[in-house]
Amino acid sequence: MTTTRLTGGGRCGGGGEDRVLATAQQIVNSLNTAQEVREDMLLIFSNFDNRLSGISDLIKGEGSNNNNDDDGDDDEDDLERFQAAEKVILGWDASLSSEPSRHFNSLFDSQIHVFEYFTALDEIIFFMEQFSVSPPPSVDKTMVERAENAVQLAMSRLEDELRHMLIRNTVPLNAESLQYSIKRVSLSFASHIDENLEGFGDSGSDRGFDRFHSRGASLDYDDVVVDLVNMDAISGLREIVGRMLRSGYERECLQVYSSVRRDALDECLVILGVERLSIEEVQRIEWQSLDEKMKNWVQAVKIVVGVLLCGEKRLCDSVFGDLDENYEMKDVCFYETAKGCVMQLLNFGEAVSICKRSPEKLFRILDMYEALRDALPDLESLVSDEFVIGEVRGVLTGLGEAAKGTFAEFENCIRNETSKKPVITGDVHPLPRYVMNYLKLLVDYGEHLDLLLEITDEDLYHLQNDFGGDGSQFESMSPLGCRVLLLMSELESNLVEKSKLYVDNAMQQVFLMNNLHYLVRKVKDSDLGKVLGDDWIRKRRGQIRQYATGYLRASWSKALFCLKDDGIGGSSISAAKVTLKEKFKNFNACFEEIYKNQTAWKVPDEQLREELRISISQKVIPAYRSFHGRFSSQLDGRHAGRYIRYTPDDLENYLVDLFEGNPAAALNHVRRRST
C-alpha cells in the first residue's frame, strides 16, 4: 500500500490533531523497521492517543504487506487489513447515515480523517491492482466485489469532496481591481445623421463630443496574475485527483472539475457585465444599451483571455501536473472548462457583426475587432482545439467585415446628407463638426483600418478626378489616408452646395470661409494632418483667402462705389452739393445695411474674425477718410449732420461689432446714431 503525507488543502482540527497527525506520519516513516519493533511502536502510540487506534490495523497490515517476501502471504492478515480499510470507507458513506444533514461533512475538516480515509482507500486500490495482476488463490469473488463496491463508494465521496473543495476555495473575481489596468476607449454616439443633423453637435461648439474619451494603454497581461483557487487547497485537490485517476475514474473527475470551474467562469462573465444573449436578442437592443454591452465585451475579452484563461491553465497544471502521465487529462479539463466561456463571448461578437450598420457603431466594432485580434495569439497557445480557434477566426473576420461595412455607411451618410436648413449666422455647419470629430477618432484605429480597407480602381479614379495627376501621388498613401482624402473632398463639395442656400453672396463666402477654416484647424491640430499632408493644408488656406476676398468684393463694393468722386466737379456749386449729399446718403445706407446684417453673422474663430476686420478696415477706412477729408467741408451748415453721419473713427469703431453674432446690441448703436 502507498500512504501519503498530507501537507495542506484542508482545515486542521487544532493543535492536538496536528500532534496526532505528526505522530501518525512518524509511524509511517518508521515502517521500514523490523516487524516486532513496528508492533511495539503501534502499541506505545495507541496508548499515547486513542484516536490512532482506528488506523493501527491498517498500518499493521501495511507492515505485513511489506514483508511478504520474508514472511510469505498471510491470508488472515490480508483479510483483517481489507476489512479495516473497508470499514473506514463505509463509515463515510452518506447513504448509510440514519441522520441526513444539510451540512456537508468534509474529510478535510480534520487532517486525521483525511489521513485515515486515504490510507484505507490506498489499501483497497493496492488490493485491486495486485488482484488484476496476479489474483491470490485465497481471494474469492465476494471479496473482489466488496473491494469494487468500496472503491465506488470512495469515488462518489471524492467526487463530492472535489466539488466541495473547488467551490469552497474559489476566489471571487474582483473586477474593480482589474479596471485600473484597462483604460480603453469609451466612445458613444447618441444618434446618427438625420435630416437636420441635430444629433451631431450644435452650430456653435463641439460639446456633443465631450462624451468621447481618449484611448488608453492596453492591459499588460504580464502584470496581472490572479489566483482563481486558494493556493492552500492545491495539495488537497491533488490528493483527490490522484486517487480518482489511479482508480480509473478520469471521466468523473473531468466532469466534476470542469463543471465547477465552468460555472466559476460563467460567474466571472456576469461580474464583467457579459450576458448570455441570443443573436435575435442582441439585434433588438437599443443602441445606448448595446453600446454599453459592447464596451463590457471588449474588457471581458481582455480579462478572460489575458487573465482568467491563463489562470485556469495554471490551475490545471498545478492540480493535474505529473499525475496525468500522458498530459491529455489536464488539456481536456482546461478545454472543457474554457470552451463555454469562449463560445459565449464569440456568440455576442457574431451577433454584433451581423447587426444593422450605422456610423455610431464603428468605433465599438473596431474596439471589438482589435480586442479579439490581440487575443488570438494567446487563445491559439492556450486552446489546441481547431474548432474553437476556427470559430474565433470566423468571428474576427465577421467583425472586420462589419467595420468595413459600417465605414462605407458613414461615407454614404456624408455623401447623401442633403439637409436644407442653413445656419442663419453663417457659422460652422453641424455636418463638418460631426465628420471631423469622427475622423479624428478614426485615425487612431489606422493600423487596423489599413488592414481592413482596400483602395479600388473607382477610388483612384475619383482621387485623380478631384485632385488631378496620374494617380501615382496616391500610391504611397495608406488605404485609410486615401479614403479620408476622398471623404474630405465629398465634405467640401457638400459644403459648397449648402452655401447656395444663402441668397446673399457675401454670406455664402463667410459660410465657406468659416467651414473650410474649421476643417483646416481640425486637420492641423490632430493626426489627420499626417494623413492628409501639408500640401492639403496649404491649398485650403489659399482657398480661405479667396473666400475672404470674395466676401469683401460682394459686401463692400457697392459702398466703395459711393466714395468715387465722379460727377462732383459739375458746372455749379449747387449741383456739386446735390451730388455730394447723394453720395454720403447712399454710403450711409450701404454701411448701415451691412452693419445691421453682418453684426448678426458669426465668425467663431477669433483670429480669423480679427483678420477679416483688418481687411475691411484696410479697404474701406482709407477710402472713406480720403472722401470725407476732401468733401465734408462743402456740406458745412446746419443740416450737414443729416448727410455726414460718421467720421472715419466712427466707422473704425463700428467695425468691431461685425461677426459677433449679436445683432440686438449692434442695432441699438444704429438707432442712437440715427436719432
Side-chain angles (χ1 to χ4, degrees):
M1 183 189 75
T2 302
T3 54
T4 305
R5 179 178 180 180
L6 301 179
T7 59
R11 294 175 295 179
C12 295
E17 287 192 347
D18 288 343
R19 290 194 298 273
V20 174
L21 176 61
T23 303
Q25 291 172 337
Q26 291 173 11
I27 294 173
V28 174
N29 293 335
S30 69
L31 291 180
N32 289 329
T33 60
Q35 173 85 16
E36 294 80 3
V37 176
R38 288 199 305 277
E39 292 177 354
D40 291 342
M41 292 175 65
L42 289 171
L43 178 61
I44 292 170
F45 285 118
S46 295
N47 292 332
F48 173 77
D49 194 313
N50 59 14
R51 283 173 290 182
L52 282 174
S53 59
I55 62 170
S56 61
D57 290 340
L58 298 177
I59 301 175
K60 180 178 178 181
E62 173 70 16
S64 300
N65 183 66
N66 289 340
N67 288 278
N68 279 343
D69 293 338
D70 298 329
D71 302 329
D73 293 333
D74 187 340
D75 293 347
E76 185 176 345
D77 286 346
D78 287 343
L79 181 59
E80 290 179 0
R81 189 169 66 251
F82 176 83
Q83 289 175 336
E86 182 186 41
K87 180 179 179 182
V88 173
I89 300 300
L90 293 176
W92 282 90
D93 182 13
S95 65
L96 300 178
S97 175
S98 59
E99 298 180 2
S101 173
R102 294 182 180 179
H103 174 69
F104 179 76
N105 295 316
S106 173
L107 293 169
F108 288 86
D109 290 342
S110 166
Q111 293 282 17
I112 290 293
H113 293 156
V114 174
F115 182 79
E116 180 183 44
Y117 195 87
F118 283 166
T119 301
L121 179 56
D122 289 343
E123 173 64 30
I124 295 178
I125 293 174
F126 178 78
F127 170 80
M128 295 293 293
E129 290 172 344
Q130 290 297 103
F131 181 83
S132 64
V133 174
S134 178
S138 59
V139 176
D140 59 16
K141 183 179 180 180
T142 302
M143 189 171 180
V144 174
E145 292 176 350
R146 289 169 58 188
E148 291 175 345
N149 180 62
V151 170
Q152 290 178 2
L153 291 175
M155 292 302 107
S156 178
R157 157 60 60 176
L158 292 191
E159 286 182 41
D160 293 338
E161 292 288 349
L162 179 60
R163 183 180 296 105
H164 179 70
M165 180 170 285
L166 283 170
I167 293 173
R168 183 176 62 178
N169 289 281
T170 292
V171 179
L173 176 67
N174 186 351
E176 292 183 1
S177 69
L178 296 173
Q179 294 304 316
Y180 78 95
S181 298
I182 308 171
K183 296 178 181 178
R184 294 293 300 118
V185 66
S186 177
L187 307 173
S188 175
F189 281 83
S191 58
H192 56 83
I193 292 181
D194 59 17
E195 183 180 358
N196 297 318
L197 291 161
E198 294 175 353
F200 299 105
D202 53 47
S203 60
S205 75
D206 291 338
R207 290 193 298 270
F209 290 86
D210 289 345
R211 56 182 172 274
F212 299 115
H213 305 290
S214 60
R215 304 173 72 210
S218 297
L219 177 64
D220 187 353
Y221 298 148
D222 295 334
D223 294 338
V224 183
V225 178
V226 297
D227 292 329
L228 305 180
V229 169
N230 290 322
M231 289 296 99
D232 291 343
I234 298 299
S235 59
L237 292 170
R238 284 177 55 82
E239 296 286 357
I240 296 171
V241 168
R243 286 168 173 82
M244 294 187 74
L245 298 183
R246 185 181 169 194
S247 302
Y249 279 71
E250 295 92 343
R251 186 179 66 178
E252 290 77 4
C253 180
L254 166 65
Q255 289 176 342
V256 172
Y257 181 92
S258 60
S259 174
V260 174
R261 293 309 308 158
R262 189 163 53 241
D263 290 345
L265 284 179
D266 288 346
E267 182 63 27
C268 289
L269 288 181
V270 173
I271 294 172
L272 294 171
V274 178
E275 304 174 50
R276 192 180 299 276
L277 300 169
S278 67
I279 291 177
E280 293 76 15
E281 289 173 323
V282 172
Q283 293 181 333
R284 288 196 299 266
I285 298 174
E286 293 293 330
W287 162 239
Q288 297 227 349
S289 178
L290 180 61
D291 175 63
E292 186 67 23
K293 294 181 189 303
M294 292 167 76
K295 180 175 67 173
N296 292 340
W297 188 93
V298 170
Q299 295 183 352
V301 166
K302 302 177 88 58
I303 293 176
V304 167
V305 177
V307 179
L308 299 182
L309 293 190
C310 289
E312 290 292 346
K313 188 71 170 177
R314 287 194 302 272
L315 181 60
C316 281
D317 291 343
S318 298
V319 171
F320 293 93
D322 55 355
L323 300 176
D324 181 20
E325 294 181 359
N326 57 12
Y327 298 102
E328 292 181 0
M329 186 68 177
K330 65 180 180 182
D331 291 340
V332 173
C333 256
F334 173 75
Y335 170 73
E336 291 297 327
T337 298
K339 178 182 176 183
C341 176
V342 173
M343 293 306 296
Q344 183 176 340
L345 289 171
L346 294 181
N347 288 341
F348 182 82
E350 180 184 7
V352 168
S353 71
I354 60 177
C355 278
K356 182 181 178 181
R357 307 279 192 257
S358 53
E360 72 274 8
K361 296 177 183 176
L362 178 58
F363 298 101
R364 278 286 180 239
I365 293 174
L366 286 170
D367 283 338
M368 294 175 67
Y369 177 84
E370 180 182 15
L372 193 57
R373 186 172 182 269
D374 291 345
L376 181 57
D378 288 334
L379 280 170
E380 288 175 329
S381 66
L382 289 168
V383 181
S384 58
D385 186 84
E386 281 301 320
F387 171 77
V388 173
I389 298 302
E391 290 292 300
V392 174
R393 293 195 183 104
V395 172
L396 184 62
T397 300
L399 288 171
E401 291 298 320
K404 289 194 291 185
T406 306
F407 185 83
E409 183 64 25
F410 169 67
E411 292 176 311
N412 290 333
C413 284
I414 305 310
R415 191 175 297 116
N416 300 326
E417 200 289 304
T418 57
S419 62
K420 301 299 182 181
K421 181 180 178 181
V423 179
I424 60 174
T425 61
D427 197 354
V428 179
H429 194 276
L431 177 62
R433 292 185 185 278
Y434 166 61
V435 172
M436 296 310 294
N437 283 284
Y438 198 101
L439 292 179
K440 277 178 61 180
L441 293 167
L442 202 62
V443 295
D444 202 26
Y445 296 87
E447 178 185 352
H448 297 292
L449 283 170
D450 283 337
L451 295 174
L452 294 171
L453 298 177
E454 299 175 351
I455 300 302
T456 65
D457 292 340
E458 183 181 0
D459 293 331
L460 289 174
Y461 171 78
H462 287 302
L463 286 169
Q464 293 174 37
N465 188 55
D466 292 345
F467 300 98
D470 58 2
S472 59
Q473 68 269 38
F474 307 117
E475 292 179 357
S476 61
M477 292 189 71
S478 67
L480 177 61
C482 288
R483 298 294 280 271
V484 169
L485 192 59
L486 284 170
L487 264 174
M488 295 298 290
S489 179
E490 294 276 2
L491 178 58
E492 290 177 70
S493 298
N494 196 313
L495 289 172
V496 170
E497 290 301 313
K498 291 187 184 305
S499 71
K500 297 174 182 178
L501 297 173
Y502 300 100
V503 177
D504 190 333
N505 185 39
M507 195 171 194
Q508 291 180 12
Q509 303 301 311
V510 170
F511 173 80
L512 289 171
M513 181 182 63
N514 276 333
N515 282 270
L516 190 56
H517 182 273
Y518 178 83
L519 300 186
V520 170
R521 181 167 60 84
K522 284 291 184 177
V523 169
K524 181 175 174 292
D525 296 341
S526 70
D527 287 338
L528 283 168
K530 299 176 184 177
V531 175
L532 295 174
D534 294 336
D535 188 57
W536 186 93
I537 295 175
R538 184 168 54 254
K539 288 181 178 179
R540 270 63 192 174
R541 281 177 170 166
Q543 285 182 266
I544 292 172
R545 289 192 293 270
Q546 291 176 17
Y547 289 139
T549 302
Y551 156 77
L552 289 171
R553 186 182 302 113
S555 188
W556 292 95
S557 293
K558 185 177 179 181
L560 291 172
F561 181 78
C562 298
L563 301 179
K564 291 188 175 183
D565 58 4
D566 55 308
I568 297 177
S571 58
S572 66
I573 296 176
S574 61
K577 285 186 176 182
V578 170
T579 302
L580 277 176
K581 289 178 182 179
E582 191 66 24
K583 284 185 175 289
F584 273 109
K585 182 179 178 181
N586 290 338
F587 177 83
N588 294 338
C590 287
F591 177 77
E592 288 167 7
E593 180 68 19
I594 292 171
Y595 186 85
K596 181 181 71 173
N597 292 333
Q598 296 185 19
T599 50
W601 297 1
K602 190 170 185 180
V603 177
D605 185 83
E606 182 178 355
Q607 182 179 349
L608 181 63
R609 185 169 64 246
E610 187 60 30
E611 289 176 356
L612 193 60
R613 287 170 179 166
I614 291 172
S615 297
I616 297 170
S617 179
Q618 291 175 343
K619 195 172 186 68
V620 176
I621 300 302
Y624 184 75
R625 190 183 301 278
S626 174
F627 189 84
H628 184 277
R630 290 166 58 195
F631 301 113
S632 61
S633 60
Q634 297 183 24
L635 296 179
D636 286 343
R638 188 173 57 178
H639 301 294
R642 294 173 57 185
Y643 304 103
I644 307 175
R645 292 184 180 180
Y646 307 101
T647 67
D649 291 339
D650 289 336
L651 293 184
E652 193 85 55
N653 292 332
Y654 281 127
L655 290 180
V656 177
D657 296 329
L658 300 183
F659 315 121
E660 290 285 352
N662 186 16
L667 282 174
N668 290 334
H669 287 294
V670 175
R671 288 167 183 160
R672 285 197 299 271
R673 186 68 187 180
S674 299
T675 57

